[in-house]
């Protein structure tokens, strides 16, 4: 005995999981083909088909039997495809311009990394006491705190920082030379 789609849909809407499984088995390929025609891409069609099948248990209760089940199912597929297209368009509009922002952010990060690499290399050329001082100050330690850590006066820390700046400036000028 052949059970109609409409009878299976009614049973599935009433919680019959076997009826639901039968409906999906009967129409999965048909849903996929329509999704493929609507999206034009296999991976997108597969995703859309899976999304529709996952949402179908909740949607099937809305099937009233006014039309054939396949007509109703096609409507579900077309609506899901349109919803997906609208979401993609919204995401594209929201993402528009972020490419330039991300490019600028990456360029800024690369520039900062390059400057930090240069400073790290330049610090290796400094005498130990100057390197220790600049390392502390770069770590946002105050001159007074650096003086306590290094066991010197705050004025010595200020002089060392001045000396570091002078040496780094000279090193940069020599490189740009």
């Amino acid at each position: 005995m052949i059970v109609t789609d409409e009878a299976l849909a009614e049973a599935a809407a009433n919680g019959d999981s076997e009826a639901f499984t039968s409906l999906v088995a009967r129409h999965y390929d048909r849903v996929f083909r329509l999704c493929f025609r609507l999206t034009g891409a296999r991976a997108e069609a597969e995703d859309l088909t899976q999304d529709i099948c996952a949402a179908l248990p909740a949607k099937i209760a809305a099937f009233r039997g006014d039309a054939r089940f396949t007509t109703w199912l096609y409507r579900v597929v077309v609506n899901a495809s349109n919803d997906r297209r609208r979401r993609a368009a919204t995401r594209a509009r929201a993402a528009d311009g972020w490419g330039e922002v991300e490019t600028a952010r990456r360029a800024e990060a690369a520039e900062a990394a390059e400057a930090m690499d240069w400073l790290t290399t330049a610090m290796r050329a400094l005498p130990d006491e100057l390197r220790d001082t600049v390392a502390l100050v770069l770590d946002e330690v105050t001159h007074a705190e650096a003086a306590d850590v290094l066991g010197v006066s705050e004025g010595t820390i200020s002089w060392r920082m001045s000396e570091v700046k002078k040496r780094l400036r000279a090193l940069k000028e020599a490189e740009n030379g």
Side-chain angles (χ1 to χ4, degrees):
M1 179 170 95
I2 297 175
V3 180
T4 66
D5 290 339
E6 291 73 19
L8 287 173
E10 184 179 329
N14 291 323
D16 185 340
S17 62
E18 288 182 25
F20 179 78
T21 301
S22 293
L23 272 175
V24 170
R26 276 186 191 179
H27 298 287
Y28 187 88
D29 290 341
R30 177 178 292 171
V31 169
F32 173 77
R33 281 191 308 272
L34 180 56
C35 288
F36 184 76
R37 283 192 295 275
L38 291 169
T39 63
R42 182 175 185 82
E44 184 75 12
E46 288 170 350
D47 288 347
L48 183 57
T49 302
Q50 289 299 313
D51 290 349
I52 290 166
C53 288
L56 208 51
K59 290 186 179 289
I60 203 152
F63 177 67
R64 295 186 308 266
D66 297 341
R68 288 185 27 215
F69 176 77
T70 51
T71 303
W72 175 85
L73 184 59
Y74 283 145
R75 191 172 306 121
V76 168
V77 172
V78 169
N79 288 342
S81 177
N82 289 337
D83 289 347
R84 183 176 281 245
R85 257 188 253 123
R86 279 191 294 276
R87 281 193 306 273
T90 299
R91 279 192 303 274
R93 280 191 305 275
D96 192 33
W98 282 103
E100 293 86 20
V101 170
E102 180 62 14
T103 300
R105 186 196 66 77
R106 287 184 183 182
E108 186 177 310
E111 189 176 309
E114 186 179 316
M116 189 52 90
D117 288 346
W118 180 86
L119 181 59
T120 301
T121 302
M123 283 176 59
R124 286 191 204 119
L126 295 173
D128 290 344
E129 66 275 357
L130 293 179
R131 188 174 343 143
D132 294 347
T133 302
V134 74
L136 287 169
V137 172
L138 285 175
D139 206 32
E140 298 182 10
V141 172
T142 66
H143 285 206
E145 292 168 333
D148 285 342
V149 170
L150 297 175
V152 297
S153 72
E154 190 174 342
T156 300
I157 296 297
S158 295
W159 175 85
R160 286 180 179 177
M161 284 307 298
S162 175
E163 187 65 21
V164 165
K165 289 176 186 175
K166 188 174 16 171
R167 288 185 185 203
L168 291 178
R169 205 173 303 120
L171 184 61
K172 192 67 163 172
E173 287 173 6
E175 286 178 1
N176 292 337

